[in-house]
Amino acid sequence: MNSKRIGVVFLLQILGYFLLMFGIAVYYMAGTSAREIGIVENLIIAQSVNVIPLALVILVGCRKYRGEKIFRDTLGFRRIKISTALMTVLYAFLLMPLTTLANAISMIFVDNVVADLAGDILDVPFVVMFLIMAVFGPFCEEVVFRGAFFRGFRRSGNIFGAVLMSGLLFALMHMNLNQAAYALLLGIMMALLAEAADSTLAPLIVHIVFNGQSVCLMYLEDRLFPELMEEELAGFNNDPEELVLVIAVYLLLAVICTAIAFCVVTWIASNEGKQNFLRTIWASRKIKRERLWSVCLVIGVTLAVLYILFETVFSAMLL
């Protein structure tokens, strides 16, 4: 998987998203008898839009991949040590203040997308939603973004650029400012972890922990503190003063926890036999065997950015 193929996959993902939105609009315009598309169906279709373009590109280039074990060599699903897996869980929790900070900052401009969907999510049985959001979703996204995309960009020799590019595409894939804000940081940190562990399994663990704890907390809060959940669903917690307080608190936590996270990912790299991990990544930015950008990738990124800007402005006008 090279940068040109990655560009084709990403452009197909963005075009697929637009086609999906158009299809849903036509579906609802068909008449009042049209059944509402549920949250589970939406999530499955959305992940299909991510995975199908990659599968198509791999199938079209099957001659090139002949002799390779796709999951191990192309997508990077290699075994990791148990100690690495355990430290990866710690790494996931250390990143939570950073992503919470980015989420809070974005909420100054836009609503929290996941919170807006909480009512629909809680209508689905916990086990079903956990499997969809904490297992199926992370697996599909890691196959694409830390598997095919990061490892594909990495073949250029520019590991530093591969980390940034895979994080950027992961953020833009969410197609809204709120999720893109923390997905960018999380994508970069998970790409660092994929490089440290030399396996896509490590960021997959982080992704499962992230989404899993979010789903569990949502259902626990609804069960134990239903009044608080009702207030959140009603939007009572969007007070600017409260957001400023949250940002101030999590800014301090993010600085401390992210610094420790860098120590953890460095330990993981050493544990997996990679010395001078961060120094190697920084030095690699000077290596340019091939360009990371392609025409298709530029078009895909441009379309995604324009859509996010339009969606942000349009949402602000409705407030």
Side-chain angles (χ1 to χ4, degrees):
M1 182 71 66
N2 55 31
S3 59
K4 290 183 179 180
R5 290 176 178 267
I6 292 172
V8 171
V9 173
F10 187 70
L11 179 57
L12 290 176
Q13 287 176 328
I14 301 303
L15 294 178
Y17 178 85
F18 290 152
L19 182 61
L20 175 62
M21 293 297 100
F22 177 76
I24 291 175
V26 171
Y27 177 81
Y28 283 120
M29 290 172 62
T32 56
S33 61
R35 183 178 65 85
E36 183 178 353
I37 300 176
I39 183 70
V40 172
E41 295 163 309
N42 265 309
L43 292 173
I44 292 175
I45 293 172
Q47 292 302 338
S48 299
V49 170
N50 281 330
V51 174
I52 290 176
L54 175 63
L56 289 174
V57 170
I58 288 179
L59 287 174
V60 169
C62 60
R63 290 184 178 179
K64 179 179 179 180
Y65 297 103
R66 183 177 297 172
E68 289 189 46
K69 293 184 177 180
I70 300 297
F71 267 85
R72 188 191 68 184
D73 298 333
T74 303
L75 302 178
F77 282 90
R78 298 190 176 99
R79 292 181 182 179
I80 56 176
K81 297 178 181 178
I82 295 178
S83 55
T84 294
L86 293 175
M87 291 297 282
T88 294
V89 175
L90 172 61
Y91 185 73
F93 283 102
L94 287 171
L95 294 182
M96 289 179 185
L98 179 64
T99 55
T100 302
L101 173 64
N103 182 41
I105 293 174
S106 72
M107 287 173 63
I108 297 175
F109 309 99
V110 292
D111 291 335
N112 187 319
V113 173
V114 176
D116 287 344
L117 295 174
D120 294 329
I121 291 173
L122 292 171
D123 288 338
V124 179
F126 168 75
V127 174
V128 175
M129 190 52 62
F130 186 87
L131 290 175
I132 295 295
M133 291 188 67
V135 180
F136 177 70
F139 176 76
C140 291
E141 292 176 5
E142 292 310 310
V143 163
V144 175
F145 293 96
R146 255 65 61 186
F149 284 11
F150 171 68
R151 297 187 68 82
F153 283 132
R154 191 190 182 285
R155 292 187 177 187
S156 69
N158 186 352
I159 306 174
F160 182 81
V163 168
L164 295 182
M165 287 294 295
S166 61
L168 174 63
L169 299 187
F170 180 58
L172 293 177
M173 175 272 298
H174 288 83
M175 300 298 279
N176 65 80
L177 182 62
N178 172 246
Q179 289 180 297
Y182 58 83
L184 174 63
L185 299 176
L186 185 59
I188 289 173
M189 297 303 287
M190 288 198 295
L192 284 175
L193 178 62
E195 175 65 19
D198 194 24
S199 174
T200 310
L201 282 176
L204 176 60
I205 292 172
V206 170
H207 210 150
I208 290 174
V209 170
F210 249 90
N211 287 19
Q213 64 85 30
S214 179
V215 173
C216 290
L217 287 177
M218 190 179 297
Y219 278 84
L220 281 174
E221 185 177 349
D222 183 57
R223 179 65 63 87
L224 301 177
F225 308 102
E227 294 181 358
L228 179 60
M229 177 59 72
E230 289 179 4
E231 289 183 358
E232 291 182 357
L233 293 180
F236 293 157
N237 289 329
N238 287 336
D239 183 10
E241 293 184 1
E242 184 177 344
L243 274 178
V244 170
L245 178 60
V246 169
I247 291 172
V249 171
Y250 275 94
L251 177 60
L252 177 61
L253 288 174
V255 170
I256 297 172
C257 291
T258 304
I260 299 174
F262 273 107
C263 295
V264 170
V265 78
T266 301
W267 183 92
I268 289 173
S270 177
N271 192 47
E272 293 292 333
K274 288 193 170 186
Q275 306 300 327
N276 299 319
F277 163 66
L278 294 177
R279 185 180 301 174
T280 300
I281 292 177
W282 179 250
S284 71
R285 72 192 192 281
K286 299 178 181 179
I287 301 175
K288 297 180 180 179
R289 295 174 188 163
E290 65 178 63
R291 291 188 302 175
L292 297 180
W293 291 91
S294 65
V295 174
C296 287
L297 189 58
V298 171
I299 295 173
V301 168
T302 302
L303 290 174
V305 170
L306 289 176
Y307 179 86
I308 292 173
L309 290 175
F310 172 79
E311 193 262 351
T312 302
V313 173
F314 185 73
S315 298
M317 291 173 62
L318 293 179
L319 296 179

